[in-house]
Amino acid sequence: MGKPTGFMDYARQDKTAEQPLERIKHFNEFYTPLSKEEQEIQGARCMACGVPFCQSGQNLMGMASGCPLHNLVPEWNDLIYNGNWEEAYYRLAKTNNFPEFTARVCPALCENACTCGLNEDPVATKSNEYAIIENAYETGYAKARPPKVRTGKKIAVIGSGPAGLTVADMLNSRGHSVTVFEREDKPGGLLRYGIPNMKLEKQYIDRKIKIMEEEGIEFRVSCNVGKDVKPAQLLKDYDRVVLACGASNPRDIKAPGREAEGIYFAVDFLKSTTKALWSNNMELKDGDYISAKGKHVIVIGGGDTGNDCVGTSIRHGAKSVLQLEMMPKAPDERAENNPWPEWPRICKTDYGQQEAIAVFGKDPRVYTTTVKEFVKDKKGKLCKAVLVKLEPKKDEKTGRTVMTEIAGSEYTVPADLVLIAAGFLGSEDYVTKAFGVEVDGRTNVKTASGKYSTNVKNVFTAGDMHRGQSLVVWAIREGREAAREVDESLMGYTNLSVQ
Ligand SMILES: Cc1cc2nc3c(=O)[nH]c(=O)nc-3n(C[C@H](O)[C@H](O)[C@H](O)COP(=O)(O)OP(=O)(O)OC[C@H]3O[C@@H](n4cnc5c(N)ncnc54)[C@H](O)[C@@H]3O)c2cc1C
Ligand code: SF4
């Protein structure tokens, strides 16, 4: 363990965030990490408790608690406390293919299940993870390690998000020859064209892709499987195909006036900013992207994607930002029926919302509210939105509680730009139909429980396309498990470890 009395001797210290009014002037990550010495002290706070929930990755009351990758958190906390940064990296890399991504974007399920967090601040595990991986890059431990022997087996991975990248990384390390097909111009999936730069600067994806290429993985970008390449050809050319195409089908808002000019899906909006920044040396040029500059913006959806839209709109220079959430506000503290180490169902004020508060003087979130109608001007441009308040009511037929409009509660607000961040419905059917894979009621690709092989011979699946919209850490976990199953099906056994 770190230091036996570390959790009593030292307080939690975490990376510091640049002040909201300063950080909105740029699109870069805005945390200043601790020094190596300070981070070692944070490692000392870990008690290596008898039951380290931080690494359990268990399901409690339908929500994950602890790290889904079973990262060996107490082990690397101890290693950094003792200054053994190299070994800490190998322990971290044993269970996590991409700590450079999770250490930036993971909601840190580990910290919410940390025993220290039962009655005081949890161990700063996510920052420790960040320090370990960034130190590994600086010192050169994080480098290409190509397999010594090739098996002669060929794998096609469709989709280069965290799930596809994990499958590729694992199977390549086993000596199989892996080609990743990606329809976008660059690999990374939602890491690249969903999650904004402020949370994950894109050069960190390129840094890892370069290593993966040096290790022998081939990336074929701007190649849309099901359109540019036919599944039958892939199944002929490759021994196994893994579908990791994400859950990219956005949920729409069906309200009158939806066709008005100025209504976009969140990912299209975020992607246009990322692309424009990347192609213009991190500067935004008018006309190159979907702009919120000088506009009244309404973000529909109170989740993390909605928050990313709020932060991005503010950086564009929006006139006002409103974020609509259908559900009531969550409590500020854990409710009695939501004890530790369950995932805390509390109101989180994320970076975009903090920035909105700093710029406009109030929280952008409006709860129990949705859009009833989009109003357009004579030219077909969005100019207003009619909002309506909602209340929970029991549906007589199903017995389920549903959010229902309160008659007479409508009000109108100005709106020039609406961003729909209302979640995703599942996989896109041109891919699933082209391969003939079965999907479930949510259009996720169907497999037996805990399995990754589909109904089509030699075709496997992983990530959001399989489990539905989720998190990067789950995509990595799925990628590791799917790779194991693929390897076993090819070789008759596998020595790839999931944990
Ligand atoms: C705006 C936004 C912010 C998010 N923020 C976070 C966060 O902060 N933390 C977190 O943990 N999670 C976050 N998520 C969720 C997370 O990004 C996803 O759960 C994760 O990326 C899923 O990984 P995946 O590999 O399954 O799919 P994806 O990342 O969606 O990758 C799928 C890839 O497949 C490609 N593809 C699809 N069809 C084809 C085809 N036919 N041929 C070739 N290529 C194809 C797509 O272009 C894409 O690149 C966020 C999601 C969004 C939308
Ligand atoms: S991957 Fe996420 S949950 Fe796991 S240790 Fe890292 S920050 Fe915690």
Side-chain angles (χ1 to χ4, degrees), residues 224-237:
N224 196 337
V225 173
K227 290 187 177 163
D228 304 332
V229 180
K230 295 282 168 260
Q233 191 61 45
L234 283 182
L235 286 164
K236 198 163 154 247
D237 295 347

Side-chain angles (χ1 to χ4, degrees), residues 101-309:
F101 305 149
T102 50
R104 289 179 164 83
V105 305
C106 187
L109 293 86
C110 51
E111 293 188 13
N112 283 300
C114 170
T115 306
C116 262
L118 182 52
N119 53 10
E120 57 158 297
D121 289 336
V123 173
T125 297
K126 185 173 162 184
S127 290
N128 288 351
E129 183 174 316
Y130 178 97
I132 294 168
I133 182 63
E134 287 309 313
N135 180 68
Y137 274 105
E138 271 165 37
T139 47
Y141 312 135
K143 61 175 184 195
R145 292 184 173 80
K148 295 200 171 65
V149 181
R150 287 283 171 191
T151 61
K153 307 283 184 198
K154 290 172 72 188
I155 319 282
V157 177
I158 322 303
S160 66
L165 291 179
T166 305
V167 171
D169 192 38
M170 298 290 279
L171 292 175
N172 183 64
S173 75
R174 267 290 267 159
H176 308 312
S177 298
V178 182
T179 306
V180 180
F181 294 82
E182 170 57 55
R183 67 183 172 188
E184 292 289 351
D185 59 347
K186 289 177 193 293
L190 288 172
L191 295 168
R192 177 151 338 241
Y193 289 137
I195 299 176
N197 227 53
M198 293 82 84
K199 289 201 308 208
L200 172 63
E201 290 180 17
K202 307 310 165 198
Q203 70 270 23
Y204 299 120
I205 306 174
D206 295 338
R207 180 176 70 175
K208 183 64 185 180
I209 297 293
K210 185 166 173 281
I211 289 181
M212 293 174 78
E213 283 174 334
E214 285 165 13
E215 287 174 337
I217 297 172
E218 187 192 345
F219 287 90
R220 271 196 222 162
V221 294
S222 305
C223 181
N224 196 337
V225 173
K227 290 187 177 163
D228 304 332
V229 180
K230 295 282 168 260
Q233 191 61 45
L234 283 182
L235 286 164
K236 198 163 154 247
D237 295 347
Y238 293 86
D239 297 291
R240 298 289 183 272
V241 174
V242 184
L243 301 176
C245 302
S248 35
N249 220 358
R251 178 178 285 121
D252 206 348
I253 299 292
K254 291 190 181 80
R258 169 63 183 84
E259 70 289 352
E261 194 187 316
I263 305 177
Y264 298 90
F265 288 114
V267 170
D268 295 336
F269 170 72
L270 296 168
K271 180 169 140 185
S272 83
T273 294
T274 303
K275 280 200 164 179
L277 285 169
W278 195 252
S279 56
N280 282 320
N281 217 8
M282 296 308 287
E283 296 282 333
L284 284 182
K285 272 199 200 154
D286 286 351
D288 269 10
Y289 64 103
I290 302 167
S291 174
K293 194 171 170 183
K295 292 182 180 162
H296 293 292
V297 180
I298 298 184
V299 178
I300 305 178
D304 293 346
T305 302
N307 173 67
D308 290 332
C309 292

